[in-house]
Amino acid sequence: MDLATIIESKDKIFEWLALIFLFAFGVMLFIWGIYCFVSFFRQIFKLSKPNNGKMFDCLSCGNYISNEAHHCPHCGHHYGKRYPTPLAILMLFLFGGMGIGLGVYIFISVLELYLVM
C-alpha cells in the first residue's frame, strides 16, 4: 500500500463518520422538536382544564399543599418558581418548530452528501 491510498481511505472514513454524526444530530433535533410539540399540547390542555384547588403531598413533611405553591408553608421546602404558562406555551411552540425544521434540514443535507459520495 502506498501513502496516497492510505490517506484516501482515512479521508473516506472521516467522511462517513461525519455523515453518521450529522445524521444522529439531526435525528436528535427532530426528536427534541417532537417532544417540545407534545409538551406544547400538554400545556394547552392543562391551561384549558380548571385547577379546582388540587392539593398534593409535600416531599419533605408529607402535609397537603396547594398545587400552585412555590414552597411548603409547614416545612419551607422550596418547589421553585414556575414559568408563566403563556410564555412556556410560546417557547415550546418555537423550540418545537426549530427542532423539527433543523432536524429535517440536516437529514436532507446528509442525504444529499451521501448521494454525492
Side-chain angles (χ1 to χ4, degrees):
M1 276 184 130
D2 61 341
L3 186 61
T5 309
I6 294 172
I7 291 174
E8 184 178 319
S9 65
K10 278 178 142 180
D11 288 342
K12 286 288 185 185
I13 290 171
F14 287 129
E15 288 175 7
W16 278 102
L17 287 174
L19 280 178
I20 291 169
F21 175 77
L22 280 174
F23 180 76
F25 186 68
V27 167
M28 181 191 68
L29 279 174
F30 187 78
I31 291 172
W32 179 65
I34 289 174
Y35 175 77
C36 285
F37 270 125
V38 168
S39 298
F40 166 74
F41 287 113
R42 286 181 63 203
Q43 287 290 329
I44 288 177
F45 178 72
K46 190 167 78 171
L47 184 65
S48 66
K49 194 168 103 176
N51 190 5
N52 295 336
K54 293 185 179 179
M55 308 282 276
F56 70 98
D57 294 334
C58 176
L59 298 174
S60 295
C61 65
N63 289 317
Y64 284 115
I65 62 173
S66 171
N67 197 15
E68 298 175 356
H70 296 291
H71 67 278
C72 178
H74 305 286
C75 67
H77 183 82
H78 186 63
Y79 287 99
K81 183 177 179 184
R82 297 181 178 106
Y83 288 109
T85 306
L87 178 61
I89 290 172
L90 177 65
M91 288 172 35
L92 287 170
F93 181 76
L94 291 175
F95 289 151
M98 286 189 316
I100 290 175
L102 286 173
V104 169
Y105 176 75
I106 290 173
F107 182 69
I108 291 171
S109 299
V110 166
L111 282 177
E112 287 175 351
L113 289 173
Y114 173 72
L115 294 176
V116 169
M117 289 178 64

